[in-house]
Amino acid sequence: MKSSTGRPRGGGGGPESPAEQHQGHDAAPADVGAAGQLSYEDPWYDALASGWGELDGTGAPAAVPPPRATDATAQAADVYLEVRRGVAFQEVRSRYRRFVVPGLVIFFGWYVAYVVTAQTAPGLMARPVAGAVNVAMLAGLGQFLTTFLLTWAYARHARLRRDRIALELRWDTQELTRGLEGGER
């Protein structure tokens, strides 16, 4: 099959195969390794650097050991568990939930009421308010308005009631993990 440029398409191997379209550039030279296998000199291929794809002495893929949990990692995990159990963290979560749950219920209820009313009372939604503007258009614009209003209220609530405590909690956590292996940057 030919493409729109008149060149054959598909099933490579011919003179128009993708490997030969790179004029003046040779493919990466292949060497025969000690085990009689081809190895390609590709500086961008680093799968072997990560341990994946290497062969053990029998020719089978070598098993990649799982990462070890170091003592410092265990200590850092203990720090985060301690912080999570702390009063400050629980207070931040509680303040978050006290805003988000009622906000979600009210907004979702408003959205469902809009959709259900549009389906069950099309006469009400088609009632003109001013010129070509009807109740459905005002309710739809009200959806956008409440979305922006809820976003503004959430950002204000976070700024005034949670951010300072969360920042102090983050700072304390970083101080506790500083000095642990892997805790410094």
Side-chain angles (χ1 to χ4, degrees):
M1 177 195 307
K2 291 191 175 201
S3 68
S4 62
T5 59
R7 294 185 176 173
R9 192 188 295 176
E16 298 292 327
S17 70
E20 293 182 12
Q21 288 178 359
H22 301 288
Q23 298 169 356
H25 299 285
D26 294 333
D31 297 328
V32 177
Q37 298 175 351
L38 290 177
S39 64
Y40 294 94
E41 300 293 327
D42 186 359
W44 299 107
Y45 183 75
D46 61 352
L48 295 179
S50 65
W52 180 82
E54 293 183 7
L55 301 177
D56 61 3
T58 65
V64 178
R68 294 181 292 136
T70 62
D71 188 39
T73 305
Q75 289 174 353
D78 291 341
V79 166
Y80 284 104
L81 287 174
E82 178 185 333
V83 168
R84 185 173 184 206
R85 291 185 197 115
V87 176
F89 185 81
Q90 296 302 323
E91 180 66 24
V92 169
R93 287 183 66 182
S94 173
R95 289 180 181 189
Y96 172 78
R97 287 181 182 146
R98 280 194 302 248
F99 180 84
V100 169
V101 171
L104 176 70
V105 169
I106 291 169
F107 185 77
F108 188 69
W110 160 230
Y111 174 74
V112 168
Y114 170 69
V115 172
V116 168
T117 305
Q119 290 297 312
T120 58
L124 171 69
M125 297 298 267
R127 183 172 295 156
V129 175
V133 178
N134 60 18
V135 173
M137 292 174 81
L138 289 178
L141 290 173
Q143 291 287 317
F144 285 105
L145 179 65
T146 53
T147 300
F148 293 122
L149 183 67
L150 186 62
T151 303
W152 170 81
Y154 177 82
R156 183 176 185 274
H157 180 269
R159 186 182 71 245
L160 295 177
R161 299 212 166 73
R162 293 193 324 261
D163 286 352
R164 183 172 293 131
I165 298 170
L167 187 61
E168 290 172 2
L169 194 60
R170 181 179 178 188
W171 182 263
D172 293 343
T173 304
Q174 288 178 353
E175 287 295 317
L176 289 172
T177 58
R178 188 179 311 268
L180 298 176
E181 184 179 280
E184 292 187 73
R185 290 192 183 263

